Amino acid sequence: MSPNRPGRLIASTSAAAAVLLGVGLGAVPAALADATTPVISEVYGGGGNSGADLRNDFVELGNPTDGAVSLDGWSVQYLPASPKPATRVQVTELGGEIGAGEHYLVRQAAGSGGSVELPDPDAVGGANMSASSGAVLLVHGTEPVTCRTAATCAEDGDVVDVVGYGDAVVHESAPAPRLSNTTSASRDADLTDTGDNAADLTAGAPTPVNTAGEAPGDGGGGDGPEDPVEPGDLRVHDVQGTTRTSPYAGRQVTGLPGVVTAVNAFGGAQGFWFQDTEGDGDPRTSEALFVFTGSTTPDVAVGDEVLAAGRVSEYRPSSGAQTITQLSQANWTVLSSGNAVPGSVLLDEDALPEAYAPEPGGDLSSLELEPQSYALDFWAAHEHMLVRVEDAPVVGATDDYHALWVTTKPGQNPTVNGGTRYGSYDQPNSGRVKIESLLDRARHPFPDANLGDTLAGVTEGPVYYSQYGGYLVRATTLGEHVPGGLERTGVRDSRRYEISIATYNVENLGGQDDQAKYDELAAGVVEYLNSPDIIGLEEIQDNTGPTDDGVVDADVTLDRLVAAIEARGGPSYEWRQISPQDKQDGGQPGGNIRNAFLFDPGHVRFVDREGGDATTAVEVVEGRRGAELSVSPGRISPRDEAWESSRKPLVGHFRVLNRDVYVVTNHFNSKGGDESLHGVNQPPNRTSEAQRHAQAELVGEFAEELLSVDPEANLVVMGDLNDFQFSRTLEILTVDGPLYNPMTDLPEEERYNYVYDGNSQALDHILVNQALAGRADYGIARLNSEFHDQVSDHDPQVLWLDTRRSTPPGRP
């Protein structure tokens, strides 16, 4: 390599308001479409996705009026395609003005790919918009809208304009076309607004324009500074500053010296890391930066001494994530090559503080970093710097994206198999570290590691940040993978006087899935669960899986699973389920996931009562033998808003060993939309909890109703409750409600059935009424969550009910 080598990379009165005047959205007269306010002129949600040129999502406004309009106190708000009552609205506040005939550009979240910057935005938000379906609202105000449907948004007097696209339920008249990673929805040059998104907006290549009239490649998206030839007045630590965001964000800097420590030559977010060899001795300031070069591989090598220049930007991967300080529109000069890189920081057991993050009750960005007090501050203060772990135990198995988790604190809340247990909201486990690789996987395959394995020796690389897991190490050196010998373990056999009841989330099992998935699930049921009498299944998809074709039945899916179990040597199970209404129960679009029962007719009789369907509520009635169900199978309060876009509980009445058993299998609202443990807001806001709490209340009310008719009834409430044993959701059922959680009888190190971001945690539960508590035994089959080759991300569990006693000894 030659020294001094230059490098360079330049990368209306809307129809919504017309409804308020009593005019239907479907037939807004042209006169009413003569705008007196700005309108949403273009929306794009594919920024940074696969195949996209642009790095960011954006919303563009247009002003068809004759005069400038102040946008102070206005906002752009984003809703997903099918918002729920608890869905968090992503609000971007606006300011300044938009001139007559001009456009106004709102930059939203960036993806991991793309190579083209937007022109300088007029407002910046963090909304992570869907590339295909969603809704954007222009609002005269900054409070999040409460509307969740087209009709209620049209009635909201603060909503000035609405653009729904794809499958969005919030729209004007009909949604604009479904979009992609490379298409936006935009109005014509006249900003025509007839009150019909389908008619007014067309799909095409994104064309963002700001108030200065600049498009990508103009102005803010154009040339960077001249090639630096000598050090400037600033050093890297000056640019990084003592908080999470740079004091130079949005400004051009030049002449930053450092040595290249790593190069990312793969994917759409290519670039290189460089680190100052001197430093300022301040533990709050990082001495390294990332130079973003988009889809262009930078012409540098590790050990190059460089002088770098560019625009300082704060890249936020998604709404609620921390930002990454980096240089974009950058250029650099290589002064020499073959230099030693700065020494890496050892992440030993004492490096990361026990405390995870300060808790200001909101955004951390402006707080002075305290790297000796908080783990998240430690990471921010070492952003882009070289760090290393040595002989690191694996606490999260290799995933489909070639990443795994290790811990620097093996003694921090250990599990029975060497993982890290998530035991409370106050124990997020600060020693967890995500590892990805910058190495060419063709020459250096990423290890297929299970929990309990070790990366022996040194694993080293720069610190980066991802919306998926937070701070991580992008390894330039990977330690040797040493297997720990973890083996799958099943549960014990049932005894002749026991009823065995299992729950298993089979992770989007659809009728068109490969036979291999059915065979693996069948092996788990037969060989590790020992063919339970009753199985509650979650995430059973319809016969065509995620194909959105109106199909809702799941007979093909369930018949294939039953056949696979029988072929494996298991019983000839029968099944019961209720098909949902199309696209009303959430989950993977088109899949129509639901809960279902399998039962062994050689041991169990299902008590069928006709009349159960997607919208009919099951009720408890008094019968000859005690409590009976009005329909079986049935659903609990399926019309209640608590189940909007969520799976409804399935209730079944069984007879086993001359005992009546009532089983409720559940799949509560997911945690989607919650702020992450590593996010910019601390403590994180768990917005999805509200819906789960409402769901738990309804299930608890059903349990109370059943037990009021028969206090000694055999009641089992189980499934993927999507919450922890210490959560308010479980408290509603077990402390406020009449149920008991046998998981709490296990040793603490065994209380988990799911591993997420290196935390072993419990999302699935089997609960019983208090009368059964002393007669219930409980076990977890460890088949999936700790292994890189998993057929589901959940571990199944089994409950055994002892039928010999009717009254529990020593329990109320």
Side-chain angles (χ1 to χ4, degrees):
M1 280 177 207
S2 59
N4 297 307
R5 182 184 70 244
R8 189 174 186 78
L9 181 85
I10 304 299
S12 83
T13 296
S14 72
V19 171
L20 301 177
L21 300 176
V23 181
L25 282 176
V28 180
L32 283 177
D34 289 340
T36 59
T37 66
V39 296
I40 299 167
S41 53
E42 189 172 4
V43 297
Y44 174 63
N49 293 354
S50 176
D53 292 327
L54 293 173
R55 291 196 67 201
N56 290 76
D57 302 340
F58 70 84
V59 176
E60 181 196 87
L61 308 181
N63 182 5
T65 75
D66 295 331
V69 177
S70 172
L71 297 177
D72 291 338
W74 290 44
S75 64
V76 161
Q77 305 195 16
Y78 175 76
L79 284 169
S82 299
K84 305 173 185 178
T87 297
R88 185 172 66 88
V89 185
Q90 299 184 61
V91 179
T92 303
E93 296 185 8
L94 309 180
E97 68 176 25
I98 178 172
E102 291 183 354
H103 293 280
Y104 182 103
L105 184 60
V106 183
R107 188 180 73 198
Q108 300 289 12
S112 60
S115 59
V116 178
E117 297 277 358
L118 293 172
D120 285 337
D122 302 298
V124 175
N128 191 15
M129 298 166 57
S130 167
S132 57
S133 300
V136 178
L137 293 78
L138 178 60
V139 180
H140 193 182
T142 57
E143 287 298 312
V145 296
T146 58
C147 61
R148 296 294 185 271
T149 65
T152 55
C153 287
E155 294 167 358
D156 188 330
D158 290 330
V159 175
V160 177
D161 193 20
V162 174
V163 169
Y165 57 100
D167 298 327
V169 299
V170 176
H171 53 255
E172 290 183 355
S173 191
R178 189 177 182 86
L179 303 177
S180 71
N181 294 345
T182 58
T183 57
S184 68
S186 61
R187 299 186 191 273
D188 61 18
D190 295 327
L191 301 176
T192 300
D193 183 8
T194 68
D196 184 343
N197 291 161
D200 295 340
L201 294 105
T202 57
T207 57
V209 176
N210 61 14
T211 52
E214 297 167 340
D218 303 331
D223 292 347
E226 294 299 317
D227 290 351
V229 294
E230 58 184 27
D233 295 330
L234 299 177
R235 308 289 288 219
V236 169
H237 50 254
D238 299 314
V239 173
Q240 283 282 11
T242 59
T243 70
R244 283 172 167 77
T245 56
S246 170
Y248 292 89
R251 295 164 59 181
Q252 299 286 349
V253 295
T254 187
L256 297 175
V259 172
V260 175
T261 58
V263 179
N264 182 20
F266 307 101
Q270 298 185 37
F272 66 90
W273 288 263
F274 72 104
Q275 186 167 331
D276 195 324
T277 57
E278 295 182 11
D280 63 353
D282 188 337
R284 300 169 300 173
T285 57
S286 170
E287 299 296 342
L289 275 172
F290 178 67
V291 176
F292 173 73
T293 62
S295 58
T296 301
T297 302
D299 187 18
V300 294
V302 172
D304 284 355
E305 179 190 7
V306 297
L307 290 172
R311 183 174 182 267
V312 180
S313 62
E314 292 290 340
Y315 164 52
R316 191 183 302 276
S318 65
S319 177
Q322 307 265 1
T323 61
I324 303 167
T325 305
Q326 62 183 24
L327 293 183
S328 57
Q329 303 167 31
N331 55 309
W332 57 89
T333 296
V334 175
L335 302 178
S336 64
S337 299
N339 299 282
V341 300
S344 58
V345 175
L346 173 61
L347 303 182
D348 60 16
E349 193 166 353
D350 298 322
L352 289 158
E354 285 285 334
Y356 194 66
E359 296 188 350
D363 193 328
L364 299 173
S365 300
S366 62
L367 297 183
E368 291 282 332
L369 295 175
E370 299 180 62
Q372 295 169 323
S373 299
Y374 302 107
L376 283 188
D377 285 17
F378 177 93
W379 288 114
H382 291 82
E383 182 183 50
H384 304 311
M385 292 177 64
L386 286 178
V387 298
R388 72 183 188 276
V389 292
E390 296 180 354
D391 299 326
V394 175
V395 295
T398 302
D399 62 23
D400 292 339
Y401 303 97
H402 307 287
L404 57 79
W405 290 77
V406 301
T407 182
T408 66
K409 299 177 182 292
Q412 191 174 56
N413 301 312
T415 70
V416 65
N417 285 334
T420 300
R421 183 178 58 86
Y422 186 51
S424 77
Y425 295 124
D426 296 326
Q427 295 178 335
N429 297 313
S430 61
R432 297 171 299 116
V433 181
K434 187 177 183 181
I435 305 293
E436 293 182 353
S437 176
L438 288 170
L439 302 171
D440 183 353
R441 286 198 294 271
R443 298 172 55 199
H444 304 279
F446 196 80
D448 288 329
N450 297 327
L451 192 144
D453 293 356
T454 302
L455 290 185
V458 173
T459 297
E460 181 180 64
V463 173
Y464 199 58
Y465 183 90
S466 166
Q467 68 193 84
Y468 306 110
Y471 290 105
L472 56 93
V473 178
R474 302 291 301 274
T476 54
T477 300
L478 271 174
E480 180 187 0
H481 174 217
V482 178
L486 184 67
E487 295 183 356
R488 288 175 164 84
T489 56
V491 298
R492 67 170 175 82
D493 289 330
S494 297
R495 303 180 177 103
R496 60 179 179 79
Y497 50 81
E498 290 178 327
I499 303 168
S500 54
I501 303 172
T503 181
Y504 199 171
N505 182 319
V506 293
E507 193 177 4
N508 290 322
L509 181 66
Q512 304 301 310
D513 283 353
D514 292 341
Q515 186 61 36
K517 180 169 184 178
Y518 283 91
D519 292 343
E520 286 186 66
L521 289 168
V525 169
V526 175
E527 298 168 15
Y528 293 95
L529 300 183
N530 300 319
S531 303
D533 296 322
I534 300 168
I535 307 175
L537 300 171
E538 299 85 48
E539 294 198 19
I540 291 291
Q541 291 191 340
D542 62 39
N543 294 335
T544 57
T547 302
D548 190 1
D549 53 7
V551 171
V552 295
D553 291 335
D555 55 301
V556 172
T557 308
L558 290 164
D559 284 346
R560 288 186 65 191
L561 181 58
V562 166
I565 292 172
E566 188 173 6
R568 197 76 180 195
S572 299
Y573 281 109
E574 294 183 12
W575 53 264
R576 296 291 187 273
Q577 64 97 50
I578 292 176
S579 293
Q581 294 178 306
D582 190 30
K583 292 191 284 289
Q584 296 304 303
D585 282 20
Q588 189 176 17
N592 289 311
I593 59 173
R594 83 291 308 272
N595 305 313
F597 290 120
L598 300 185
F599 62 94
D600 179 359
H603 293 165
V604 180
R605 182 166 77 86
F606 191 89
V607 181
D608 288 290
R609 287 190 177 83
E610 295 183 354
D613 60 25
T615 59
T616 298
V618 64
E619 296 179 357
V620 180
V621 296
E622 289 195 48
R624 183 174 57 86
R625 293 171 59 105
E628 293 184 355
L629 304 178
S630 59
V631 292
S632 176
R635 303 175 111 195
I636 295 176
S637 305
R639 294 180 181 271
D640 194 285
E641 65 178 9
W643 307 113
E644 184 175 348
S645 297
S646 184
R647 286 67 56 186
K648 285 68 174 172
L650 187 70
V651 185
H653 182 177
F654 300 86
R655 287 215 175 102
V656 196
L657 299 176
N658 201 34
R659 301 290 196 280
D660 289 296
V661 180
Y662 305 89
V663 182
V664 185
T665 186
N666 303 270
H667 187 183
F668 281 6
N669 179 50
S670 80
K671 292 182 174 293
D674 284 2
E675 293 175 342
S676 60
L677 287 178
H678 55 75
V680 72
N681 294 313
Q682 294 292 334
N685 190 7
R686 300 184 294 271
T687 56
S688 69
E689 284 184 337
Q691 189 169 3
R692 285 194 298 281
H693 295 169
Q695 292 172 345
E697 294 280 2
L698 290 174
V699 173
E701 289 171 7
F702 173 82
E704 295 277 11
E705 184 181 359
L706 180 76
L707 296 172
S708 69
V709 174
D710 182 0
E712 299 297 317
N714 300 303
L715 174 62
V716 177
V717 174
M718 64 184 188
D720 181 358
L721 302 184
N722 259 319
D723 230 331
F724 314 114
Q725 69 272 25
F726 51 81
S727 68
R728 175 60 186 156
T729 302
L730 270 293
E731 187 179 73
I732 289 169
L733 292 167
T734 61
V735 178
D736 301 350
L739 303 176
Y740 177 77
N741 188 355
M743 179 183 286
T744 60
D745 293 334
L746 295 179
E748 286 189 346
E749 62 268 21
E750 296 181 23
R751 298 178 193 172
Y752 66 95
N753 43 52
Y754 188 85
V755 179
Y756 181 75
D757 284 358
N759 269 330
S760 296
Q761 53 196 243
L763 296 181
D764 305 79
H765 305 270
I766 304 181
L767 313 178
V768 298
N769 54 303
Q770 292 287 346
L772 293 182
R775 297 191 282 128
D777 192 16
Y778 168 84
I780 301 170
R782 306 211 180 274
L783 310 182
N784 297 314
S785 68
E786 298 171 307
F787 297 88
H788 73 274
D789 53 342
Q790 51 185 230
V791 68
S792 168
D793 48 355
H794 296 251
D795 286 329
Q797 302 118 75
V798 176
L799 180 85
W800 297 272
L801 292 180
D802 186 340
T803 62
R804 294 175 301 174
R805 298 192 304 270
S806 57
T807 342
R811 287 197 185 273

